[in-house]
Amino acid sequence: MGDMANSSIEFHPKPQQQREAPHAGGFGCTLAELRSLMELRGAEALQKVQEAYGDVSGLCRRLKTSPTEGLADNANDLEKRRQIYGQNFIPPKQPKTFLQLVWEALQDVTLIILEVAAIVSLGLSFYAPPGEESEACGNVSAGAEDEGEAEAGWIEGAAILLSVICVVLVTAFNDWSKEKQFRGLQSRIEQEQKFTVIRNGQLLQVPVAALVVGDIAQVKYGDLLPADGVLIQGNDLKIDESSLTGESDHVRKSADKDPMLLSGTHVMEGSGRMVVTAVGVNSQTGIIFTLLGAGGEEEEKKDKKGKQQDGAMESSQTKAKKQDGAVAMEMQPLKSAEGGEMEEREKKKASVPKKEKSVLQGKLTKLAVQIGKAGLVMSAITVIILVLYFVIETFVVKGKVWQAECTPVYVQYFVKFFIIGVTVLVVAVPEGLPLAVTISLAYSVKKMMKDNNLVRHLDACETMGNATAICSDKTGTLTTNRMTVVQSYLGDTHYKEIPAPSALTPKILDLLVHAISINSAYTSKILPPEKEGALPRQVGNKTECALLGFVLDLKRDFQPVRERIPEDKLYKVYTFNSVRKSMSTVICMPDGGFRLFSKGASEILLKKCTNILNSNGELRSFRPRDRDDMVKKIIEPMACDGLRTICIAYRDFSAAQEPDWENENEVVGDLTCIAIVGIEDPVRPEVPEAIRKCQRAGITVRMVTGDNINTARAIAAKCGIIQPGEDFLCLEGKEFNRRIRNEKGEIEQERLDKVWPKLRVLARSSPTDKHTLVKGIIDSTTGEQRQVVAVTGDGTNDGPALKKADVGFAMGIAGTDVAKEASDIILTDDNFTSIVKAVMWGRNVYDSISKFLQFQLTVNVVAVIVAFTGACITQDSPLKAVQMLWVNLIMDTFASLALATEPPTDSLLLRKPYGRDKPLISRTMMKNILGHAVYQLTIIFTLLFVGELFFDIDSGRNAPLHSPPSEHYTIIFNTFVMMQLFNEINARKIHGERNVFHGIFGNPIFCTIVLGTFAIQIVIVQFGGKPFSCSPLSTEQWLWCLFVGVGELVWGQVIATIPTSQLKCLKEAGHGPGKDEMTDEELAEGEEEIDHAERELRRGQILWFRGLNRIQTQPPASTVATSSQPPAGSTSPCSARAPPAPPSTPSPV
């Protein structure tokens, strides 16, 4: 990767060398010329093109390409262009190396404390005090066999270090594989992005990375431009350049005014052709990338190493590049914030207000802080009690005097106490939590790929489990997006099927064929089927394909018409957009006049018609009264059959009366209607069942479409979104706006709250309506829960709604690049049923984490209490530091693997969503945690205090320092682990189900881990010896340990019998942070939150740093850790300090 960063610098050598090199390549433009050309805008750029090349076709000649035919698809030529002008590839930032990740994992505070303790313990164990006095220093150890044992004092320290290394390696490996997965996902998204170019006169879809300078690329509505270029010919082209300039207004581009198209900008309207002039690191986006990425890295390297082998050369290059960058910066009015954004652009534009912390993250962070605090308190108390007990026992009761030579011995005792304290803390803090979240999410994301969900942001997958509302598009998501014309109204006759060509007057037929063939994007066409007997392939806009199909059904062909009037002969094109809801094209007639063809939504276009063609193909006037008749008799019946109605019209202008073409309202008016067609887009057969599942799962499905209200209502009824007899609303965009806006035209949340709960269909809606609806539902405070909204979108204009939603789904097939860029999940098959799968996986993630928590917290409660009481009563924790770490490893790392990979079941869709305020640990789970803790503690304390009598062995209590491991304590350790293993099986169910074995063999990972842990436990007990403080056990003792372990399963049944509703005293834990409970630092943190993708990769560490920082910086009065939320009216002390949230952003939940 490093050399790639360097190569990106070597792409632009010093000007003198450049001059010679490219001319040797035989092209008439150098890289430097093209780069400087692309830095100009508007009139300047146009002037430069004219001065240097004459016009754009002159530039094409210099680049040895044809504006109409494109490049010859010749591998050598393409390779040569790549060598001279660079590849269309921006080297990504280097991933972190494994060692860097290990170093990051070592930053964990608890691990650092342990390392320090272990090193101190090691150091002291090597210091042997003079022998005679040692007796006077207290009972170090007694007995003859101690000579060897005293030497073995180093083992404990070494073992702790070893287990720390294990934990660190596991964490680092996890992060590493996660980053690798994420990069794989990233590159898959990038590979899927293709772009249309013309080579050898053929339209080809090539991967974006294969574009070369000199390629002729087709740009159309919704594209994200992959390279810089100069426009050759454009129709009504408007570009959103905000990603480069920060200006939100769309820039109008045309070959004669502003022909410069820049990479990374979005096509918002229109279409055109451009010649590619700069790719990869030489494009405008690439220059900024190099300034950020490679430039920064070079500087860093030099700072660190000071002297690199080729330092001098490199720094001169870097300087050159920096100056180069400075030019780029000057010519680009870059906002400071944009710097970072460009870097993240591949992942996601960061320019939007960041989404709130995902539901789960909020709850987990809070829970982690609570547990961390409890653990700190417990460990501190443990250490204090141990130290006091020892000091009083030694110096007060036995009346010894502190002697200088005894100091190391006493310090050794204190270190031992410190290690016990730290161990309590380590066990109390569930480090496995971030691990479980990560594993669960990563596993789900991998599996969701198979279910046609390409997840771009990991937490979207879990948010989806909480979704309460889905706002879906109609076309392509609920329907098959294979459109066909099934009814038509031509020459005063309503045809219920395709008319015979002979039934139509030649004039009407001819006008219709021309109107459809010319007035549709030339990229839309119908190709012969791939297989025998299959349907013809529709390429391009599906509505236009339906109309072209209609032409073919009338036994005519659209191709000859297009060949006669190629795209560059079109005089003026008004492309389709969501405001016009129509498209019009003007052509020149042989007599010098003009003809305008128009097509669009029938009720909109009919208002502009003043004439209609009768059965003989002659004009007859078309008055408002006729229009109302037509709507009632033709359009509404078609719409009620679920058809989309399109009107096709034309208008002639004589040579004398050429209008002002910019005044669109005047041009597209006074039309003559040729035909009305009804287009059918059948509902996908699997959708009604999927919608039923959603409704059962407590998710409201709403349809938001640009279609006619009758069509929308008919389709909604077919899908089951609306059912007869229900109280629902179907509104058109206009009516919706009238209801939610006040007299001043401002949107009022109270008005919106009256509309959205019953709204099921929003028809004839504009993208702003969609955004308004989504924002209104999210900001609403009427229900007891804040709504979690998922939105589907495919068009460029859906971007804002996709960004605003909690989860945005973009269509993988029909979706534009802009929509994909704004989304969280891409549906690779455009199918609504995949959304239901996403809900299932999301709920599964949530449940997996609850299962893990239920298991983990039982272990924590028991281990902490045992270590604490044991230490206070017997001066020594029954579970040694190394054993605790092993317990921690199986309970955290392995259990998170085992429980986080449970596959989802259909039963997940039978319950309502949890919602944002529902705590992570429900009453039932609390009952399970405490119930199992009671059982385990009873057993362990029984063994601790009367175990030696039961098994008839020596007591392990009050053993001196460095004494050999006792069977007594080994039995306690072994029993403890056995109980955890069987409780892991109990933890598979969190809703109080009886059969905990249900589906256990469906999860091979779980079975492997449980059996594996069991096998390792046998090895540790039988052969662990001194490092694990274990002494081998007999078969009988093993059977007793197992028997007690199996008792866990029986006890689980007993707990399941107790009705949770009776246990009012149980508190729930892990609520989402309340509205008033955000501290200053959290709000600040929220504002500068990094991109989701990056954040995901480090979420584990962040969670803990955040938790520990918070523990250190929290004022004692703060209520952040209270598990129950303050009542609605009250505010917690934090809210006094928290700045009020600006009204436009949703309140932080």
Side-chain angles (χ1 to χ4, degrees), residues 559-596:
Q559 209 47 54
V561 180
R562 287 182 170 182
E563 279 160 13
R564 211 167 50 248
I565 305 177
E567 201 169 1
D568 39 24
K569 291 269 176 64
L570 301 179
Y571 188 74
K572 173 89 182 146
V573 179
Y574 302 95
T575 49
F576 181 88
N577 68 24
S578 54
V579 181
R580 291 188 184 120
K581 292 215 188 300
S582 67
M583 169 179 179
S584 310
T585 304
V586 182
I587 55 170
C588 299
M589 298 300 277
D591 62 0
F594 301 94
R595 176 168 285 173
L596 167 110

Side-chain angles (χ1 to χ4, degrees), residues 527-680:
L527 301 177
E530 282 172 338
K531 293 194 205 74
E532 281 283 305
L535 293 166
R537 281 179 301 155
Q538 298 187 337
V539 181
N541 180 307
K542 301 296 183 201
T543 313
E544 294 183 342
C545 288
L547 294 170
L548 294 170
F550 184 48
V551 170
L552 297 177
D553 290 340
L554 292 170
K555 309 286 183 282
R556 290 299 196 82
D557 191 1
F558 56 86
Q559 209 47 54
V561 180
R562 287 182 170 182
E563 279 160 13
R564 211 167 50 248
I565 305 177
E567 201 169 1
D568 39 24
K569 291 269 176 64
L570 301 179
Y571 188 74
K572 173 89 182 146
V573 179
Y574 302 95
T575 49
F576 181 88
N577 68 24
S578 54
V579 181
R580 291 188 184 120
K581 292 215 188 300
S582 67
M583 169 179 179
S584 310
T585 304
V586 182
I587 55 170
C588 299
M589 298 300 277
D591 62 0
F594 301 94
R595 176 168 285 173
L596 167 110
F597 290 117
S598 197
K599 67 164 191 288
S602 54
E603 58 265 50
I604 293 173
L605 217 53
L606 279 179
K607 287 186 180 145
K608 300 180 175 176
C609 289
T610 51
N611 294 300
I612 188 164
L613 295 179
N614 66 11
S615 50
N616 301 325
E618 288 147 8
L619 300 192
R620 109 179 127 71
S621 72
F622 185 68
R623 297 181 299 281
R625 192 175 66 239
D626 303 330
R627 188 177 67 234
D628 298 340
D629 263 6
M630 186 160 211
V631 168
K632 272 200 197 67
K633 291 188 181 141
I634 312 293
I635 292 172
E636 281 183 5
M638 280 188 187
C640 293
D641 292 341
L643 304 185
R644 165 184 275 188
T645 55
I646 300 279
C647 172
I648 300 169
Y650 80 106
R651 177 183 180 182
D652 283 334
F653 297 96
S654 65
Q657 57 171 56
E658 183 174 347
D660 168 13
W661 297 113
E662 292 308 311
N663 182 352
E664 189 187 331
N665 287 343
E666 191 186 303
V667 176
V668 185
D670 201 8
L671 303 174
T672 303
C673 171
I674 305 172
I676 304 277
V677 293
I679 297 179
E680 180 182 48

Side-chain angles (χ1 to χ4, degrees), residues 241-506:
E241 293 190 348
S242 59
S243 58
L244 283 177
T245 60
E247 297 296 325
S248 57
D249 293 344
H250 298 172
V251 186
R252 192 180 271 276
K253 298 280 178 183
S254 60
D256 50 2
K257 288 201 180 73
D258 178 2
M260 302 319 237
L261 299 178
L262 306 173
S263 58
T265 58
H266 291 128
V267 182
M268 300 312 273
E269 244 180 74
S271 62
R273 284 204 316 272
M274 71 170 187
V275 55
V276 175
T277 53
V279 292
V281 281
N282 300 307
S283 67
Q284 292 306 306
T285 311
I287 291 172
I288 295 173
F289 260 104
T290 6
L291 281 178
L292 294 167
E297 277 168 36
E298 294 302 324
E299 292 293 288
E300 265 172 48
K301 281 186 206 157
K302 282 210 299 297
D303 290 349
K304 278 190 194 150
K305 298 189 183 163
K307 47 180 189 295
Q308 274 187 331
Q309 311 84 5
D310 49 2
M313 186 183 96
E314 200 169 309
S315 60
S316 69
Q317 280 186 341
T318 317
K319 268 187 203 128
K321 193 170 104 232
K322 281 270 183 281
Q323 288 155 3
D324 212 86
V327 181
M329 281 299 201
E330 276 160 33
M331 56 87 193
Q332 277 284 13
L334 258 183
K335 286 164 127 188
S336 58
E338 237 79 47
E341 273 171 39
M342 292 309 302
E343 196 166 348
E344 302 293 18
R345 197 193 94 238
E346 303 298 89
K347 297 182 187 161
K348 182 170 188 194
K349 284 272 189 330
S351 53
V352 291
K354 77 149 194 80
K355 297 201 179 180
E356 307 161 22
K357 228 194 242 162
S358 83
V359 185
L360 191 62
Q361 250 178 308
K363 292 181 182 177
L364 281 176
T365 310
K366 209 173 154 199
L367 192 68
V369 174
Q370 294 171 14
I371 297 173
K373 281 184 175 168
L376 265 180
V377 172
M378 291 292 274
S379 61
I381 296 175
T382 313
V383 175
I384 292 166
I385 290 180
L386 284 171
V387 171
L388 283 176
Y389 194 102
F390 174 76
V391 170
I392 293 170
E393 172 81 11
T394 312
F395 301 119
V396 180
V397 181
K398 297 192 178 159
K400 294 212 171 89
V401 185
W402 186 300
Q403 291 164 353
E405 63 271 21
C406 288
T407 306
V409 180
Y410 295 145
V411 171
Q412 224 168 334
Y413 266 107
F414 291 146
V415 169
K416 179 181 159 190
F417 299 151
F418 181 61
I419 287 180
I420 292 172
V422 172
T423 318
V424 172
L425 177 65
V426 170
V427 175
V429 172
E431 314 75 275
L433 209 51
L435 197 63
V437 176
T438 311
I439 291 176
S440 185
L441 286 172
Y443 172 76
S444 303
V445 166
K446 231 186 163 108
K447 293 285 190 203
M448 282 168 81
M449 282 290 225
K450 292 199 178 87
D451 284 339
N452 302 312
N453 283 296
L454 179 70
V455 181
R456 294 182 68 231
H457 302 125
L458 279 181
D459 40 8
C461 137
E462 157 263 316
T463 312
M464 205 46 222
N466 282 306
T468 53
I470 298 175
C471 295
S472 171
D473 274 0
K474 175 178 77 69
T475 309
T477 316
L478 299 172
T479 59
T480 55
N481 204 11
R482 184 174 175 92
M483 303 201 187
T484 42
V485 172
V486 288
Q487 294 187 22
S488 52
Y489 178 83
L490 284 156
D492 290 344
T493 323
H494 184 175
Y495 297 96
K496 290 288 172 85
E497 58 253 358
I498 303 292
S502 55
L504 301 174
T505 326

Side-chain angles (χ1 to χ4, degrees), residues 688 690-701 719-723 726 760 909 912:
I691 286 181
R692 238 191 334 277
K693 278 186 185 165
C694 281
Q695 288 162 341
R696 229 188 359 245
I699 302 169
T700 313
V701 183
C719 294
I721 291 178
I722 54 180
Q723 266 125 11
E726 268 186 6
R760 292 291 174 275
L909 292 175
K912 298 272 179 278

Side-chain angles (χ1 to χ4, degrees), residues 114-135:
L114 268 180
E115 287 151 27
V116 172
I119 290 165
V120 172
S121 159
L122 266 178
L124 287 167
S125 67
F126 290 126
Y127 174 88
E132 314 82 76
E133 283 95 337
S134 68
E135 285 308 309

